[in-house]
Amino acid sequence: MELILERELAHQQKAVDTLVSAFEGVGITKPLLAYENPTFDNKDLRLIHNIMEIQNNIRGDYRGRRDEGEYLNLDVKMETGTGKTYVYTQTIYEMHKQYGFNKFIIAVPSLAIKAGTKQFISDSYVKHHFSDACGYNCDIELGLLESAKQRKKGFLAMPSPIRDFVTGSCQNANKIYVLLVNMHLLTNGNMLTRSDYDYLVEGFYRPFDALKATKSIVIIDEPHRFARDQKAYKAIAEELQPQMIIRFGATFPEVSEGRGRNKVTYKDLNNLVYELSACDSFNQNLIKGVAKEHFEPLSQKEEKVKLTTVVSKTSATFHFKKRDVDTKTFTLSSGDSLSIIDPVFEGITISAIGKNFIELTNGQVKFMGEEFNTDIYSSSYQEQMVKLAIQRHFETERQNFSGRQFKIKTLVLFFIDDIASYRESDDGKMPYLKEMFERLLLERLNSLIGELPDSENEYREYLKASAANISACHAGYFSQDNNDSDEAIAQEVDEILHNKKGLISLYNEDGTYNTRRFLFSKWTLKEGWDNPNVFTIAKLRSSGSENSKLQEVGRGLRLPVDENGNRISNEEFKLNYIVDFTEADFAQKLVDEINGELPITLVLNTDDLDKVAKARDVDPDDLFTELLLKKYINRNYEIRSENRDAFFAEYPEFTSGVNSNKVTDNNKNKSQQIKIRKAVYPELKELWETINQKYYLFYESDLEYEITQALHDILRKNDVFGNITVYSQRDEMTTDGKKMCLQEVSGVSYSLKKPLAYHEFIKRINSQTSIPITVIHDAMCKLAAEKTVLPEHINDYSAANIIRSFTDWRIQETQTRFRYARSTQPVNGTALTYKDGSPREMIKQGTIGTMFVEGTPSEKYLYDKIAFDSPLEKDNILMTGTGIDEVVVYGKIPKSSISIPTIVGENYSPDFMYVVKKSDGTKELNIVVETKLVENKSTLRGIENAKIKCAEAFFKQLTIDGYMVSFHTQLSNKKVKQIIEEVINT
């Protein structure tokens, strides 16, 4: 298969045209010597004028020019995946065609980028594209500068790529000489600096001097790796002394000046002539979108342990990770308890340590690099990530294979920590990750083969070929492979690194199916490696969380090519990006990074002004005048930086980037503090202290036998024992044409085997039902005598089923067979008061509501801010303060602050409390309200209904005990004013 390049793509052609236009009308001097480039004066006024004209289309804070010695610096900023290599290759051709330049040096930061650049420029399909489709009547002669091999006896010759580059004649109009060099060769060793070569090259013994004499143009790829204060950049500027440096990159270095409060950090951009931002790239569908997905943790504690290193038979090192908390490291030896890491591991110790694994006293084996939840009995979290990646792959592959006219070979990348988990060791022991992957892949293949209809018979045959040879479906590349002599590994590496066309072909040269599409690496495949047909990346490794998120997804952003080599640009594609729960905010960070590139000081364009004016039904001129008078903009339509926040708050339609209303984080709001109004609390004091009085719940004595029988019946139900299910959360990046946003879409669910120790199983049922352990054990023994219960079904899921079924029984059978009795214990500190009964200063916002309403609430309200959990609660807070004169004081009851025991085994706390008086002021009434966002009581779940019945009984008992409280349930079709009026008129 030959790849087919598209010519004159707008975003690429504009970059080339802009670069070349900088030299329009500039004096170009023909070379005096055959090996020299034509020359120009970088102080030429026409050149400076051209650059200034070009920069009129560049955002204000990215404009500017600094003198950098005797060379000209031009910058091109293009996002990963949009074709930088193509652009600078075409620029080379165009600069030669229009101005005669034919000596170019390309500097890259790594061997991977070097290999990718060489492959692109040298490939026959690229040469044909530029000569035939683009009409350039010349060829690039590429020289690849590589590390010197061990010197043999005899003469020391200057490296041939340097000799050929320097001696190539600029008078040969059909040749362009390009030298490709990586950073390491510019800064290390003496290949370019030594002067003891036995042969001259154009009169030079020293390579750097020979290269300098060519007056070359240097192209720097990935400029963030070539900061100006680094040795590599200094070698280019001081040793090569080119006429011009053109930097192409998605990311540029940052420069800081000053100290302390005077410190300023900015992008190191110099003569930026073209910018294609990440936001524009996504908005214009020039690259794939991104759909991040992670599994929610099996434990709500959101913790997991990773076995990072093993010293054979000696010690093992673990990382203990929590979301949003620094990772802790523990080193344990054989015989040590895992409870050192977390108390949940009490009773589990390391029984043995092998070469790359440990054995635990509960029989489990954990391999180096493996992650597991703090619930040690859970299935591997990593296994579920692999399973999810396989599922997402086949969803995409099936569409790419059967759902279009021309098929797309679909690839997956797995990034892992431990090479030993994938590569077989010398002792022949099967790596656990490879073994797990092949097992899960075969299971999925067999399942899918059986599901396909006859209309997808060709795809079925492709899957059958995959299942027949699982090992052929995947391959790995790791840095150590470069020194591996194994022939099979060498073939894998060559296919991944160098044979892009082969990797994305559906067929091998002999006509058989090419099923290799799952690739494993240790983050080695980064800048410089790309394959347009990567549709899924599963990040099974831990990464530096401060890495650029765009760099991380960059390996999969390019638009795909079909089986004929055509780039598909008229569809919207998504990259599936799978992470663990510690990076649940990955998508948000990616959106923030993309939108963070948007300019701080913006210029309004007339199109946007017209759109907003139309939406607001005003004249555009009047809107402009309004913005000008409010000092939001100046006469040049530029947004005033000092009023920027106020401007976007009042006119959100102009927002560029992520709209704050589109992406919210309720967890952050929960930590805010809200003030308790001490002036109004005394009116609530008696009611508050009364409903906080501790009460006990008592059942009728004859229920004991019925409980035993009920448990007996529950255990014998067919659907009680089973396995647990886990769910993933999937977030897709979307755009409204201006800014990037997030949209949550449906994830997946998997059934897991998650057994519990028998004693733990019984304890969990006991703790949530209060059924005595002896009663539960006796019931389980009787069950075992009647039928077999699989050990794997003694798990969380089964325990939850038993607890739920017993709760349902208890709700049904005990609703009228219980009573409340007041405790003699005094009321101590509460959510609103200190131990002495005085009101607290503040309360956490999350305890009274997760959402805010701007503004100040009524003076009758207990708090100084309005926080709520539902629209019904918001209406209650706003309407009560302004439309019900009889209310003396009211407030939201903090969550879980009133512990009313209930028959469902959970405590209960209502939502609102009111103190009201009749219109003549003769009678004070106390009202407690529970809000339910449903239309009628029949919609309430059994548990909720039972809790409300318990609350009714509880407040009835308060009245019997001498303190009258009226309890009401408010449904969505009833306003709180109606409830208060009904109580007043009773």
Side-chain angles (χ1 to χ4, degrees):
M1 180 185 76
E2 286 292 339
L3 297 177
I4 300 173
L5 296 175
E6 294 182 79
R7 66 185 296 262
E8 296 185 353
L9 289 174
H11 69 284
Q12 296 176 344
Q13 192 62 47
K14 185 177 180 181
V16 176
D17 293 344
T18 301
L19 268 170
V20 174
S21 70
F23 291 89
E24 254 180 44
V26 175
I28 306 293
T29 304
K30 291 184 178 181
L32 297 176
L33 300 173
Y35 58 78
E36 290 181 340
N37 253 337
T39 57
F40 63 91
D41 180 5
N42 70 336
K43 302 293 194 301
D44 187 304
L45 294 179
R46 183 57 189 263
L47 175 64
I48 296 172
H49 171 78
N50 289 346
I51 294 173
M52 292 176 65
E53 285 291 309
I54 292 169
Q55 288 204 324
N56 283 334
N57 297 314
I58 300 294
R59 54 186 272 189
D61 56 329
Y62 277 5
R63 298 174 193 168
R65 179 177 191 269
R66 294 189 308 279
D67 290 327
E68 295 289 349
E70 296 302 315
Y71 64 88
L72 173 67
N73 188 151
L74 298 178
D75 286 342
V76 175
K77 192 173 185 297
M78 294 179 68
E79 192 44 57
T80 300
T82 57
K84 294 192 303 294
T85 308
Y86 179 96
V87 169
Y88 67 64
T89 302
Q90 186 182 354
T91 299
I92 289 172
Y93 279 105
E94 197 66 29
M95 294 286 280
H96 174 262
K97 177 182 177 180
Q98 294 202 32
Y99 306 113
F101 297 109
N102 79 337
K103 294 288 178 78
F104 296 84
I105 298 174
I106 301 175
V108 298
S110 68
L111 293 175
I113 297 179
K114 186 178 181 183
T117 304
K118 171 185 176 294
Q119 180 182 351
F120 179 81
I121 295 178
S122 302
D123 207 306
S124 58
Y125 80 90
V126 177
K127 289 180 175 292
H128 290 152
H129 170 76
F130 284 113
S131 61
D132 300 339
C134 299
Y136 295 111
N137 187 28
C138 60
D139 290 322
I140 287 179
E141 186 167 303
L142 182 67
L144 190 70
L145 191 61
E146 298 186 280
S147 297
K149 297 181 180 179
Q150 187 173 0
R151 181 184 175 185
K152 297 180 180 179
K153 292 181 179 179
F155 291 104
L156 176 63
M158 192 175 291
S160 58
I162 296 177
R163 183 178 63 249
D164 295 342
F165 177 81
V166 174
T167 59
S169 174
C170 287
Q171 297 172 0
N172 186 347
N174 297 323
K175 286 285 184 185
I176 305 174
Y177 299 94
V178 177
L179 183 66
L180 180 58
V181 58
N182 55 292
M183 177 189 288
H184 178 80
L185 296 180
L186 291 170
T187 57
N188 294 280
N190 61 357
M191 179 197 297
L192 296 174
T193 56
R194 66 191 303 166
S195 58
D196 58 345
Y197 291 102
D198 293 309
Y199 292 105
L200 292 165
V201 173
E202 298 293 350
F204 301 100
Y205 282 103
R206 186 171 178 269
F208 263 137
D209 293 338
L211 293 172
K212 177 172 65 176
T214 65
K215 301 179 180 178
S216 65
I217 294 174
V218 170
I219 291 172
I220 293 180
D221 194 356
E222 303 291 351
H224 66 288
R225 303 279 293 275
F226 287 86
R228 295 181 191 274
D229 58 356
Q230 289 180 339
K231 290 171 61 179
Y233 192 92
K234 289 181 178 179
I236 292 171
E238 298 170 8
E239 293 282 9
L240 293 179
Q241 294 185 16
Q243 290 190 80
M244 176 165 55
I245 295 176
I246 311 177
R247 299 187 297 173
F248 288 81
T251 309
F252 282 75
E254 288 193 341
V255 178
S256 295
E257 294 180 352
R259 294 182 178 181
R261 294 181 178 179
N262 297 322
K263 184 176 181 180
V264 178
T265 300
Y266 56 89
K267 293 280 185 187
D268 174 24
L269 292 166
N270 189 18
N271 288 334
L272 180 66
V273 294
Y274 180 73
E275 181 194 12
L276 180 64
S277 69
C279 196
D280 289 336
S281 302
F282 281 106
N283 288 347
Q284 298 172 29
N285 287 330
L286 302 179
I287 52 181
K288 295 190 188 87
V290 179
K292 181 276 307 178
E293 192 164 11
H294 74 278
F295 273 111
E296 289 300 320
L298 299 177
S299 166
Q300 291 306 308
K301 294 172 70 175
E302 300 187 348
E303 300 169 350
K304 67 179 179 178
V305 176
K306 181 170 188 176
L307 178 58
T308 55
T309 56
V310 176
V311 179
S312 182
K313 299 182 180 180
T314 305
S315 64
T317 301
F318 301 83
H319 282 173
F320 181 41
K321 303 202 295 186
K322 291 185 178 183
R323 185 186 289 178
D324 300 328
V325 177
D326 292 339
T327 299
K328 293 182 179 180
T329 300
F330 300 85
T331 299
L332 307 181
S333 302
S334 183
D336 286 344
S337 172
L338 292 190
S339 62
I340 296 172
I341 301 174
D342 191 271
V344 75
F345 295 137
E346 188 65 47
I348 301 172
T349 60
I350 301 174
S351 58
I353 299 177
K355 183 178 180 180
N356 66 338
F357 65 92
I358 63 169
E359 292 182 2
L360 303 175
T361 52
N362 68 345
Q364 289 195 350
V365 176
K366 299 295 178 185
F367 289 88
M368 190 164 64
E370 188 173 358
E371 295 176 332
F372 49 93
N373 289 84
T374 52
D375 182 348
I376 193 65
Y377 302 102
S378 71
S379 295
S380 168
Y381 187 91
Q382 189 178 66
E383 180 172 340
Q384 306 317 311
M385 292 177 67
V386 173
K387 190 175 181 180
L388 177 60
I390 292 172
Q391 175 174 335
R392 291 303 184 206
H393 162 75
F394 281 112
E395 290 171 355
T396 307
E397 181 179 82
R398 185 175 180 182
Q399 176 64 30
N400 285 344
F401 195 104
S402 301
R404 57 179 64 252
Q405 183 179 2
F406 299 110
K407 304 176 186 66
I408 299 174
K409 175 76 172 294
T410 307
L411 306 180
V412 184
L413 279 179
F414 289 96
F415 289 117
I416 65 177
D417 258 331
D418 181 29
I419 300 174
S421 68
Y422 179 79
R423 290 272 189 240
E424 293 186 22
S425 57
D426 295 336
D427 59 10
K429 190 168 184 177
M430 189 69 172
Y432 80 90
L433 180 60
K434 182 178 180 181
E435 187 176 47
M436 175 222 297
F437 167 75
E438 291 189 342
R439 170 174 54 81
L440 293 174
L441 177 59
L442 185 58
E443 287 176 2
R444 188 68 182 178
L445 284 167
N446 289 334
S447 173
L448 193 53
I449 289 169
E451 296 173 3
L452 293 176
D454 292 341
S455 59
E456 295 185 60
N457 188 56
E458 187 179 0
Y459 186 44
R460 181 187 289 110
E461 293 303 313
Y462 184 67
L463 297 184
K464 285 182 177 179
S466 302
N469 189 355
I470 287 291
S471 62
C473 296
H474 60 94
Y477 169 62
F478 309 95
S479 56
Q480 71 177 35
D481 293 338
N482 296 321
N483 302 316
D484 199 304
S485 60
D486 186 277
E487 187 175 334
I489 292 178
Q491 184 178 344
E492 287 182 17
V493 171
D494 183 67
E495 185 171 343
I496 294 172
L497 282 188
H498 307 298
N499 190 9
K500 179 189 297 185
K501 291 183 291 185
L503 194 57
I504 60 178
S505 296
L506 288 162
Y507 301 94
N508 297 310
E509 292 183 359
D510 60 4
T512 58
Y513 282 120
N514 176 5
T515 61
R516 180 163 288 165
R517 55 214 194 268
F518 299 93
L519 310 178
F520 289 79
S521 184
K522 192 179 180 181
W523 217 249
T524 311
L525 299 174
K526 45 185 179 180
E527 299 110 317
W529 186 94
D530 67 81
N531 193 299
N533 288 9
V534 171
F535 281 85
T536 301
I537 296 178
K539 188 177 170 187
L540 306 182
R541 68 182 298 281
S542 59
S543 74
S545 59
E546 300 309 311
N547 286 352
S548 164
K549 304 307 174 189
L550 272 169
Q551 290 287 352
E552 288 194 20
V553 299
R555 301 317 96 214
L557 288 183
R558 292 183 183 274
L559 294 180
V561 298
D562 64 22
E563 59 186 327
N564 298 317
N566 293 297
R567 176 179 176 268
I568 305 174
S569 56
N570 59 348
E571 297 181 39
E572 185 175 345
F573 296 96
K574 290 286 185 183
L575 170 69
N576 300 307
Y577 198 75
I578 298 168
V579 295
D580 65 39
F581 66 77
T582 62
E583 293 193 82
D585 59 352
F586 181 93
Q588 185 59 60
K589 286 185 175 179
L590 178 58
V591 167
D592 291 344
E593 182 178 336
I594 293 169
N595 290 325
E597 287 285 312
L598 297 174
I600 295 173
T601 302
L602 297 175
V603 179
L604 297 185
N605 60 58
T606 54
D607 288 342
D608 285 343
L609 193 72
D610 290 343
K611 287 178 184 178
V612 175
K614 184 178 180 180
R616 291 189 170 224
D617 195 24
V618 297
D619 183 88
D621 291 338
D622 292 341
L623 179 59
F624 172 78
T625 303
E626 182 180 318
L627 297 178
L628 198 63
L629 290 174
K630 291 182 177 180
K631 296 192 178 297
Y632 286 148
I633 61 174
N634 59 26
R635 287 175 294 178
N636 297 321
Y637 286 80
E638 294 176 341
I639 301 172
R640 294 176 179 267
S641 58
E642 67 273 18
N643 297 329
R644 184 173 182 271
D645 291 342
F647 167 67
F648 285 125
E650 187 171 348
Y651 300 91
E653 304 96 319
F654 286 109
T655 302
S656 178
V658 173
N659 189 320
S660 60
N661 294 325
K662 296 281 186 180
V663 181
T664 59
D665 186 348
N666 289 336
N667 291 327
K668 292 181 180 178
N669 292 333
K670 291 178 184 177
S671 63
Q672 295 188 28
Q673 298 287 318
I674 291 179
K675 187 177 180 180
I676 299 172
R677 288 170 164 172
K678 292 186 177 182
V680 299
Y681 174 73
E683 297 285 357
L684 272 173
K685 179 178 173 66
E686 187 178 6
L687 172 60
W688 178 250
E689 291 182 350
T690 300
I691 60 179
N692 270 277
Q693 178 69 49
K694 186 173 181 61
Y695 273 71
Y696 292 112
L697 177 70
F698 293 93
Y699 291 102
E700 293 181 1
S701 58
D702 60 355
L703 279 173
E704 184 175 341
Y705 168 77
E706 294 179 32
I707 289 174
T708 302
Q709 185 60 42
L711 181 59
H712 178 275
D713 295 339
I714 288 168
L715 295 179
R716 282 153 184 77
K717 290 181 180 179
N718 292 330
D719 58 351
V720 167
F721 292 93
N723 285 319
I724 197 169
T725 302
V726 294
Y727 301 89
S728 73
Q729 180 180 319
R730 183 175 170 89
D731 297 321
E732 289 188 356
M733 287 177 51
T734 61
T735 175
D736 64 358
K738 279 186 176 181
K739 56 186 176 293
M740 305 307 300
C741 310
L742 289 183
Q743 179 181 359
E744 187 174 333
V745 294
S746 59
V748 301
S749 60
Y750 293 143
S751 179
L752 308 180
K753 295 178 180 179
K754 189 172 182 283
L756 286 172
Y758 178 69
H759 72 278
E760 181 65 26
F761 177 75
I762 292 179
K763 283 168 61 178
R764 292 199 185 183
I765 298 172
N766 161 260
S767 65
Q768 295 186 52
T769 65
S770 299
I771 303 174
I773 287 179
T774 54
V775 174
I776 302 171
H777 175 64
D778 288 345
M780 288 294 293
C781 290
K782 290 177 181 177
L783 178 67
E786 298 173 20
K787 67 176 186 178
T788 301
V789 177
L790 296 176
E792 68 185 51
H793 288 166
I794 304 298
N795 58 30
D796 272 331
Y797 176 78
S798 301
N801 280 341
I802 295 169
I803 294 164
R804 188 180 306 111
S805 296
F806 182 77
T807 300
D808 291 342
W809 174 86
R810 183 162 53 186
I811 291 171
Q812 183 68 31
E813 297 297 326
T814 65
Q815 288 194 36
T816 59
R817 302 169 70 181
F818 69 93
R819 63 184 176 84
Y820 288 100
R822 185 167 58 188
S823 166
T824 58
Q825 295 179 11
V827 176
N828 292 316
T830 69
L832 297 179
T833 59
Y834 295 110
K835 189 174 182 180
D836 63 1
S838 62
R840 296 179 184 272
E841 301 287 336
M842 312 290 284
I843 189 170
K844 284 188 176 181
Q845 179 231 318
T847 63
I848 57 173
T850 58
M851 294 175 279
F852 267 122
V853 171
E854 294 298 328
T856 304
S858 163
E859 294 179 358
K860 301 175 183 179
Y861 194 53
L862 181 61
Y863 313 107
D864 71 338
K865 288 187 175 65
I866 303 171
F868 60 95
D869 288 314
S870 72
L872 188 58
E873 291 187 359
K874 180 180 73 172
D875 290 345
N876 285 353
I877 298 169
L878 295 175
M879 294 172 63
T880 302
T882 57
I884 310 177
D885 295 336
E886 295 84 358
V887 172
V888 178
V889 63
Y890 69 109
K892 184 85 186 295
I893 298 175
K895 294 175 183 176
S896 304
S897 61
I898 300 175
S899 299
I900 302 173
T902 69
I903 60 174
V904 300
E906 302 172 17
N907 289 331
Y908 173 72
S909 183
D911 294 318
F912 284 93
M913 51 187 172
Y914 300 82
V915 174
V916 300
K917 289 184 179 180
K918 286 192 173 184
S919 56
D920 60 4
T922 57
K923 185 178 180 182
E924 187 175 280
L925 303 169
N926 304 296
I927 305 173
V928 172
V929 175
E930 169 71 14
T931 59
K932 293 296 179 187
L933 201 61
V934 295
E935 293 294 328
N936 52 69
K937 285 190 176 182
S938 63
T939 312
L940 293 174
R941 295 187 301 119
I943 290 179
E944 292 301 315
N945 203 28
K947 286 181 180 179
I948 289 173
K949 288 184 179 296
C950 288
E952 291 171 350
F954 172 79
F955 288 109
K956 184 178 180 180
Q957 186 63 47
L958 283 186
T959 301
I960 294 172
D961 291 342
Y963 191 84
M964 183 175 290
V965 178
S966 181
F967 174 77
H968 291 264
T969 301
Q970 179 194 14
L971 306 181
S972 58
N973 57 5
K974 194 169 189 178
K975 302 300 183 183
V976 71
K977 185 172 183 177
Q978 294 173 256
I979 295 174
I980 292 174
E981 287 177 348
E982 288 172 4
V983 174
I984 291 173
N985 295 326
T986 299

